Amino acid sequence: FLVGGLGTRLGDIARDAPKPMLPVAGKPFIEHLLAKAARNGFDRALLLAGHRSEVVTRHVEAANLVARLGMEIAVSIEPEPMGTGGALSHARDLLDDTFLLLNGDTWFDFDWRALADREAYDGMMALRMVEPLVVSSSAKAPRQPLPAHDGADFLKTVPGFSVIRKGGTDGDPVF
């Protein structure tokens, strides 16, 4: 799970904790995601933390999530903000050859295990657009629809859910 973003659009609400640690129905949102992962048959989770990583680590330990959810939970802490690709590269030695990559602040209501168990693909991404994407060259410029793309930058612009296989010559995740 990606749990290291600054949450700048939320302003002061996310100043002291990353977005996935903000409360929803009485507990941090990431806890809802971890519980769903456990219900879907996953027994391990890796949290890729950055901004206020100590809040994530402290909660995993204090809430006794490992015992309560019956799954191994590890936290990989970025030494500096490195973005999605950097967070994955930093954690590459902790990743299985095939893994799910989820945003820690997004809910997907389907069976994650069914997606993860698809063996017919060398790599796959499943993305969901939450709202129409728009771009603008400045905050004052009118917003325009996102131009057509070849997919190379898609992960950077669309909140998503991915099944990724390690690859490349150095074992880094391949998008």
Side-chain angles (χ1 to χ4, degrees):
F1 292 93
L2 296 169
V3 298
L6 296 174
T8 54
R9 290 179 299 229
L10 296 177
D12 286 344
I13 293 172
R15 181 188 57 219
D16 297 327
K19 279 194 300 184
M21 293 303 299
L22 297 177
V24 173
K27 57 187 171 183
F29 186 72
I30 190 63
E31 201 170 318
H32 294 281
L33 294 175
L34 289 166
K36 178 171 176 48
R39 283 191 310 273
N40 283 176
F42 293 90
D43 59 4
R44 293 186 308 146
L46 177 62
L47 307 179
L48 305 179
H51 169 67
R52 299 303 311 266
S53 60
E54 73 280 3
V55 174
V56 175
T57 303
R58 195 169 37 241
H59 181 75
V60 168
E61 293 169 0
N64 200 22
L65 292 181
V66 172
R68 277 197 306 118
L69 298 176
M71 66 188 314
E72 177 185 330
I73 302 171
V75 180
S76 173
I77 301 172
E78 295 175 293
E80 60 189 54
M82 302 186 306
T84 301
L88 283 171
S89 181
H90 177 73
R92 71 177 165 254
D93 293 338
L94 302 172
L95 299 170
D96 289 340
D97 288 340
T98 301
F99 57 92
L100 293 179
L101 174 65
L102 292 89
N103 287 336
D105 62 357
T106 307
W107 181 264
F108 292 94
D109 194 18
F110 63 90
D111 182 356
W112 299 349
R113 173 55 63 190
L115 179 63
D117 287 344
R118 297 198 55 141
E119 292 292 331
Y121 301 99
D122 288 336
M124 167 177 50
M125 284 188 198
L127 304 171
R128 180 181 109 186
M129 185 171 19
V130 176
E131 61 184 61
L133 296 175
V134 292
V135 294
S136 114
S137 57
S138 77
K140 294 180 182 179
R143 298 178 76 159
Q144 302 295 320
L146 186 70
H149 58 81
D150 63 4
D153 293 325
F154 204 49
L155 188 62
K156 296 176 189 171
T157 58
V158 178
F161 181 107
S162 308
V163 175
I164 301 175
R165 296 188 193 280
K166 284 187 182 178
T169 57
D170 56 4
D172 282 344
V174 175
F175 293 95

